[in-house]
Amino acid sequence: MEKKTVVVALGGNAILRRGQKGTFEEQLENVYHTAEQLAEMVLSGEWRIVITHGNGPQVGNILLQQDAAKHVVPPMPMDVCGAESQGLIGYMIQQSLHNILDRRGRGDIPIATVVTQVLVDKDDPAFQNPTKPVGPFYSEEEAKRLQEEKGWHVVEDAGRGWRRVVPSPDPKAIVEREVIRILVENRAIVIASGGGGIPVIKENGELKGVEAVIDKDLAGERLAEDVNADVFLILTDVDRVRLNYGKPDERPIDRMTVEEAKKYLAEGHFAKGSMEPKVKAAIRFVEAGGERAVIASLDQAEAALAGKAGTQVVRG
């Protein structure tokens, strides 16, 4: 039987649970439990899997560490911090998956993390309107000083202090797509495009990192297109997409067509920065020729992949 390919986009709860401090031990334990579900997909013999993941808390912590140590060692730019987080999280997933598969007699399956650059358009309107908060909180005085010194955009964040905001441009291409394809075709489990990828632009014919944050689900969809995935599985902390979320008439959706999803988007049912990009990514994937996209909770990953849980997004 010919295996199908699924790109699994892991939400933050796969790595760090709400209320946890974020120690390495906590994160590794969470990743191990997640990897047990991923291993079952592999061991079923039905699926080739490609894994992508969020990195918000991890890259945030890296930025905090750099800020705390800025008088001791030079801080690195944000794109470098994104690369660091890809290595950190990829290492945990690789090791956990290997140990689980090895225990099940399949330690021969190669697993690789690809430090992934994602091309964005330097003329993307997002660069003129930074909206994504990153890094530590500052006093107004310090924020204004950093704005002057570094050219940052800073905003007051809900009474909690001042923060830097960066652009969130649309992903255009996965730079390492060819090597990822080769690895997948040669039966490797690939971890790629972590945290939405490292945003890069083309300038004078060369790649150059930029300080921005690409939405991880939209970047995951681009990855799914590039590896010709059959299914794009977005795992998060809710079991299904819901209309009128948080209201008395809240309604879960088991299945929706692309046209229905577009209608619900236009009606404003999905929160920006959380469910909205997931639904947009699902629409893009199916419109690009994918069999289906699925939005489901992490603990129902296998059932969702089998079409028995989550919200299944289909062509019509």
Side-chain angles (χ1 to χ4, degrees), residues 46-299:
E46 298 178 28
W47 298 99
R48 290 183 292 260
I49 69 168
V50 179
I51 302 160
T52 188
H53 58 80
N55 72 343
Q58 292 77 22
V59 81
N61 286 344
I62 291 169
L63 289 168
L64 284 168
Q65 289 163 356
Q66 296 214 65
D67 186 64
K70 62 189 174 188
H71 301 300
V72 182
V73 293
M76 295 291 112
M78 197 172 166
D79 52 312
V80 175
C81 295
E84 288 182 27
S85 73
Q86 286 188 1
L88 159 69
I89 297 168
Y91 161 62
M92 291 191 290
I93 296 173
Q94 278 181 211
Q95 186 181 87
S96 297
L97 261 177
H98 173 81
N99 288 341
I100 293 164
L101 291 171
D102 192 47
R103 196 175 67 243
R104 301 282 294 272
R106 292 307 314 272
D108 60 310
I109 298 174
I111 308 167
T113 296
V114 177
V115 175
T116 312
Q117 303 170 92
V118 176
L119 187 67
V120 299
D121 185 348
K122 66 180 180 180
D123 296 320
D124 190 304
F127 286 108
Q128 305 307 316
N129 182 34
T131 57
K132 183 75 173 175
V134 296
F137 289 90
Y138 299 100
S139 67
E140 181 176 0
E141 181 183 0
E142 190 173 10
K144 295 290 178 65
R145 179 180 60 77
L146 289 167
Q147 181 173 256
E148 185 70 27
E149 287 179 4
K150 297 176 178 283
W152 286 3
H153 292 267
V154 295
V155 297
E156 199 277 328
D157 189 350
R160 298 179 296 172
W162 288 70
R163 290 184 85 186
R164 182 186 182 192
V165 289
V166 298
S168 185
D170 204 48
K172 296 299 181 187
I174 306 288
V175 175
E176 288 76 20
R177 60 189 175 276
E178 288 303 326
V179 72
I180 294 169
R181 281 182 192 144
I182 291 167
L183 288 166
V184 173
E185 287 166 4
N186 285 275
R187 75 185 191 92
I189 298 169
V190 182
I191 303 145
S193 193
I198 303 159
V200 296
I201 59 170
K202 269 283 183 73
E203 194 165 85
N204 300 320
E206 295 185 345
L207 295 174
K208 176 186 176 184
V210 290
E211 301 215 324
V213 173
I214 302 169
D215 181 86
K216 67 179 176 56
D217 295 310
L218 295 178
E221 187 281 327
R222 175 58 60 188
L223 175 66
E225 280 191 50
D226 283 344
V227 299
N228 299 314
D230 300 281
V231 177
F232 181 38
L233 177 61
I234 301 173
L235 298 177
T236 184
D237 57 359
V238 295
D239 62 344
R240 283 170 290 182
V241 175
R242 283 172 157 74
L243 301 182
N244 304 312
Y245 183 70
K247 298 177 181 177
D249 57 346
E250 177 178 299
R251 177 164 66 87
I253 305 171
D254 295 323
R255 181 184 182 277
M256 63 180 171
T257 65
V258 164
E259 289 308 312
E260 288 170 336
K262 286 181 175 179
K263 175 176 172 287
Y264 299 146
L265 264 178
E267 291 172 352
H269 282 283
F270 310 125
K272 292 184 182 297
S274 58
M275 188 54 73
E276 184 188 66
K278 291 174 174 55
V279 174
K280 282 185 176 178
I283 290 168
R284 286 185 184 182
F285 178 70
V286 176
E287 285 193 325
E291 182 182 301
R292 60 190 165 102
V294 190
I295 301 170
S297 66
L298 180 64
D299 60 358

Side-chain angles (χ1 to χ4, degrees), residues 10-17 30 54-55 57-58 216 235-236:
L10 300 174
N13 62 327
I15 306 162
L16 186 61
R17 303 284 181 173
N30 295 333
N55 72 343
Q58 292 77 22
K216 67 179 176 56
L235 298 177
T236 184

